[in-house]
């Protein structure tokens, strides 16, 4: 009879306090805890040993639940720390990407500048080489003409000396 009254009282209180039927509900947890304490009280009146055993079981269950809550809270905190670290790491990597892209553009610009300088130097050296070859060809031509003239002079001197020697 006491058990039926206790059960009806529990159901009435669950409805009055609008406890959720599923999931984690502090109201439902409190009402069940009060009901369990009342059951322990009633059993203890009839048999003290059973009552003490139920007290030990209740205390062990509460410690286990507290340990699970602590574990849950620490895992949530750990997850949040990891999420923040990942977000920070992502932000750092995005900044690094921007920095590297800027460096890449600078290096590409330097490459273009150096290519332009290289082409200008090659063009200038090509022009200088052509000018040197032209000067060299003119000098060779001049020396050939000078050599030809000297040969003609030498031949004319030799011919006139040979003619003078015959006389």
């Amino acid at each position: 009879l006491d058990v039926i009254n206790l059960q009806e009282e529990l159901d009435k209180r669950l409805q009055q306090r609008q406890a959720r039927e599923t999931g984690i509900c502090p109201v439902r947890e409190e009402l069940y805890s009060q009901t369990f304490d009342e059951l322990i009280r009633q059993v203890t009146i009839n048999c003290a040993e059973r009552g003490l055993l139920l007290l030990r079981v209740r205390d062990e269950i509460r410690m286990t639940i507290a340990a699970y809550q602590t574990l849950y809270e620490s895992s949530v905190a750990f997850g949040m720390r990891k999420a923040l670290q990942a977000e920070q790491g992502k932000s750092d990597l995005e900044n690094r990407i921007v920095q590297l892209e800027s460096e890449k553009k600078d290096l590409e610009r330097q490459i273009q500048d150096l290519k332009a300088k290289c082409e200008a130097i090659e063009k200038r050296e090509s022009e200088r080489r052509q000018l040197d070859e032209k000067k060299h060809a003119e000098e060779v031509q001049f020396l050939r003409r000078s050599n030809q003239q000297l040969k003609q002079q030498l031949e004319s001197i030799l011919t006139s000396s040979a003619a003078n020697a015959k006389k």
Side-chain angles (χ1 to χ4, degrees):
L1 187 64
D2 286 340
V3 174
I4 294 171
N5 288 337
L6 192 57
Q7 184 175 355
E8 288 174 356
E9 182 66 24
L10 174 64
D11 291 338
K12 186 177 82 173
R13 285 178 141 188
L14 285 170
Q15 285 181 344
Q16 283 177 348
R17 298 200 43 199
Q18 298 176 344
R20 286 181 279 178
E21 292 182 22
T22 58
I24 297 174
C25 178
V27 172
R28 192 178 78 233
E29 181 183 348
E30 178 188 344
L31 291 175
Y32 272 96
S33 178
Q34 289 172 2
T35 303
F36 193 58
D37 289 344
E38 179 60 24
L39 274 174
I40 292 172
R41 187 189 68 75
Q42 289 175 9
V43 168
T44 305
I45 290 172
N46 293 332
C47 179
E49 291 81 15
R50 281 188 189 143
L52 289 175
L53 183 59
L54 284 173
L55 280 173
R56 283 180 57 195
V57 169
R58 180 200 64 191
D59 292 343
E60 183 62 31
I61 288 172
R62 285 183 178 168
M63 286 190 323
T64 302
I65 289 173
Y68 282 134
Q69 285 175 333
T70 302
L71 182 63
Y72 171 77
E73 290 167 2
S74 67
S75 66
V76 167
F78 177 78
M80 290 300 290
R81 279 195 310 273
K82 284 298 179 183
L84 289 173
Q85 286 174 353
E87 191 64 34
Q88 179 64 35
K90 180 181 174 185
S91 175
D92 291 345
L93 288 176
E94 287 173 349
N95 291 339
R96 182 76 174 134
I97 287 171
V98 168
Q99 177 188 0
L100 289 173
E101 285 176 348
S102 174
E103 288 179 22
K104 178 185 167 193
K105 286 179 184 175
D106 289 345
L107 290 172
E108 287 174 346
R109 185 184 42 75
Q110 287 179 5
I111 287 172
Q112 293 302 321
D113 291 347
L114 291 173
K115 281 183 179 178
K117 284 180 182 179
C118 187
E119 288 173 3
I121 289 171
E122 286 176 352
K123 183 179 178 185
R124 188 172 56 239
E125 287 302 310
S126 174
E127 290 172 354
R128 187 184 62 76
R129 189 172 41 251
Q130 287 175 353
L131 188 62
D132 285 349
E133 287 174 1
K134 185 178 176 185
K135 282 182 182 178
H136 179 71
E138 288 175 355
E139 191 175 325
V140 166
Q141 190 65 28
F142 172 76
L143 290 173
R144 283 186 180 157
R145 272 185 272 147
S146 295
N147 190 20
Q148 190 64 33
Q149 288 175 354
L150 288 173
K151 274 184 183 178
Q152 288 173 355
Q153 285 177 359
L154 183 60
E155 285 176 11
S156 69
I157 290 174
L158 286 175
T159 17
S160 68
S161 315
N164 285 339
K166 284 186 182 178
K167 288 186 191 180

